[in-house]
Amino acid sequence: MKTLGVVASRYASTRFPGKALADIGGKPMVWWVYQQALKAEKLDEVIVATDDKRIEDICIQYGLNVIMTSPDNKTTANRMYEVSNSIHADFYITINGDEPMIDPAAINAAVPDDIPQNVEYGTNTICVMDDPVDVMDASNIKVVFNDKKEALYMSRTPIPYPYGTLDFTYYKHVGVLGYNKKMLEFYQNSVPEYYKKVESIDTLRFLDYGKKLQFFIADIEKSLSVDTPKDLEKVRRLMRDKNLI
């Protein structure tokens, strides 16, 4: 079984255009994400998927595997589908291109021991939330699941609501997802439904259509997405504190 890690990296960003090329200790951010992905031993190969020649050029300069995808792709899953048409694998793992400190354990967690190929199947790494501020933050996607850790729902609001008891642990979507080819084909040939539109959570499309999304809990170090120049400064500071740069 081959598992391909795909670092999704685009140039266009409303709040921080070109962030994939932002300098961190003398290297572009996409380089740091790629290096972290290489540490995930459950990946057989890592590649950057981008729709911008500037990112492709910098990947080639630094010796990173890279593939160009169409700028018409509206979502990361659309881009993953395009990658799957060019590179065969039994499982495809999406890795956000804006998390230079992503924990390899979060990537490994999304790769199951058994990967069904005859049905649509996807995975999502989740982790415990222990900070009430994070729980209330709408940018953190909260999740609920059954006793098999199969996804029931995802929301930007704290779910479930602690009306009857406070004895509950909140979990959040980490942003590392895995797909087999059938799941990517389903996504490519479907349209967003009600709850996806309401919550603006792309992954809800799978649940709207009743597809299986398997959660895996990972004990991971807290990561930080670089969405703004201010976030970049935080990452640089954290990496200096850890003597990484």
Side-chain angles (χ1 to χ4, degrees):
M1 288 266 182
K2 177 181 177 180
T3 300
L4 177 68
V6 182
V7 177
S9 185
R10 62 192 185 95
Y11 192 91
S13 172
T14 303
R15 290 185 287 177
F16 193 176
K19 63 182 179 180
L21 305 181
D23 180 83
I24 301 176
K27 299 287 197 309
M29 182 165 67
V30 66
W31 183 89
W32 290 98
V33 179
Y34 190 93
Q35 300 309 309
Q36 290 301 99
L38 288 178
K39 296 175 185 177
E41 60 270 15
K42 286 191 175 183
L43 298 182
D44 297 300
E45 184 181 349
V46 178
I47 194 166
V48 176
T50 186
D51 58 4
D52 192 276
K53 187 69 166 55
R54 287 163 289 191
I55 296 176
E56 180 191 38
D57 288 345
I58 206 74
C59 287
I60 293 171
Q61 178 184 331
Y62 282 93
L64 313 183
N65 293 329
V66 61
I67 185 172
M68 286 290 289
T69 56
S70 171
D72 296 331
N73 289 324
K74 295 181 179 179
T75 70
T76 298
N78 291 135
R79 188 176 302 165
M80 293 289 285
Y81 172 76
E82 185 178 347
V83 170
S84 75
N85 288 333
S86 298
I87 304 175
H88 170 75
D90 299 289
F91 210 54
Y92 300 86
I93 299 292
T94 300
I95 302 158
N96 290 336
D98 59 4
E99 291 192 46
M101 296 180 69
I102 188 170
D103 191 331
I107 301 170
N108 283 328
V111 184
D113 294 330
D114 295 312
I115 303 171
Q117 297 297 321
N118 59 337
V119 295
E120 295 96 346
Y121 179 78
T123 65
N124 190 174
T125 300
I126 62 174
C127 69
V128 171
M129 303 184 74
D130 51 19
D131 187 338
V133 174
D134 286 343
V135 173
M136 298 304 297
D137 186 345
S139 66
N140 289 320
I141 298 171
K142 276 66 70 173
V143 303
V144 291
F145 46 86
N146 62 19
D147 59 355
K148 297 179 182 179
K149 295 186 178 62
E150 296 168 339
L152 296 176
Y153 193 65
M154 314 173 80
S155 180
R156 296 187 181 280
T157 60
I159 54 171
Y161 187 82
Y163 184 79
T165 178
L166 294 175
D167 186 18
F168 180 77
T169 301
Y170 284 96
Y171 293 86
K172 73 172 181 176
H173 153 95
V174 171
V176 179
L177 297 103
Y179 310 95
N180 65 5
K181 178 70 172 182
K182 280 188 174 291
M183 192 68 130
L184 289 172
E185 288 175 340
F186 154 75
Y187 185 94
Q188 184 70 15
N189 296 314
S190 63
V191 296
E193 282 293 314
Y194 181 73
Y195 289 112
K196 186 277 173 192
K197 294 177 182 177
V198 172
E199 295 266 15
S200 191
I201 299 173
D202 194 51
T203 313
L204 276 176
R205 184 188 302 198
F206 300 115
L207 304 187
D208 278 336
Y209 282 92
K211 303 303 177 183
K212 182 177 179 180
L213 186 65
Q214 181 70 54
F215 286 149
F216 290 101
I217 301 172
D219 182 12
I220 57 178
E221 288 192 27
K222 189 172 182 179
S223 183
L224 178 64
S225 297
V226 177
D227 296 317
T228 67
K230 189 175 181 179
D231 292 334
L232 178 63
E233 288 306 316
K234 289 180 183 178
V235 165
R236 286 171 174 160
R237 185 168 59 252
L238 284 171
M239 294 179 76
R240 281 195 294 268
D241 290 346
K242 292 178 177 289
N243 294 318
L244 297 175
I245 59 174

